Amino acid sequence: VKIKSGRMLLAYGFLRKVFEIFEIYKTPIDMITTSEVAISLTIDDDTHLSEIESELLKFGIVEIDQDQSIICIVGDFISESAGSAKKVLEALESIPLRMISYGGSKHNISVLVDQKNKVAALQALSSHLF
């Protein structure tokens, strides 16, 4: 789910309001990235997706991509050596990435890819990192 709103810039409480929608529908958020005017997030349970989308439309444009896979690259090597994130992204240079999350943990980089690219992404990571 991606929410894009020109009203988000310098708007207090915007994130809280968005998160409250997911709380109302008891839908956990798996992965999230933000910018000045957009929030991208993933959910595993799409039971209430149409209701959530209706609520989010009050805040701006909503884009929904389905059939996506989160791949988490986990290890001490990420936080302890310079260039580790670069190695991960270079390994995935031929794979279209929908989302990247890094910084929530010192040991984890998460990427979102279309399910049709999941196996290729895992093979690329395996051959370049191990």
Side-chain angles (χ1 to χ4, degrees), residues 27-88:
T27 303
I29 296 171
D30 297 319
M31 187 168 132
I32 185 168
T33 62
T34 62
S35 71
E36 292 82 6
V37 294
I39 302 170
S40 295
L41 55 89
T42 65
I43 59 173
D44 188 37
D45 179 2
D46 64 358
T47 303
H48 299 287
L49 186 56
S50 61
E51 296 95 337
I52 291 169
E53 180 182 15
S54 294
E55 295 288 331
L56 292 174
L57 283 169
K58 296 174 185 175
F59 298 106
I61 300 165
V62 176
E63 297 175 20
I64 297 175
D65 293 331
Q66 294 184 320
D67 301 320
Q68 304 290 300
S69 293
I70 297 173
I71 298 174
C72 298
I73 302 91
V74 180
D76 289 336
F77 66 93
I78 292 173
S79 67
E80 295 176 4
S81 62
S84 294
K86 179 181 176 186
K87 290 176 187 176
V88 168

Side-chain angles (χ1 to χ4, degrees), residues 4 6 10-11 14 18 25-28 35 56 58 66 69 77 80-82 90 93-94 97 103 105 110 113 117 124:
K4 187 174 182 181
L10 301 176
F14 177 79
V18 168
Y25 292 101
K26 298 184 179 359
T27 303
S35 71
L56 292 174
K58 296 174 185 175
Q66 294 184 320
S69 293
F77 66 93
E80 295 176 4
S81 62
E90 284 177 344
E93 69 182 344
S94 66
L97 301 179
S105 164
S110 298
V113 300
N117 296 320

Side-chain angles (χ1 to χ4, degrees), residues 111-127:
V111 296
L112 185 69
V113 300
D114 192 294
Q115 274 185 346
K116 68 182 180 195
N117 296 320
K118 178 175 67 174
V119 171
L122 292 170
Q123 290 172 338
L125 286 165
S126 180
S127 67

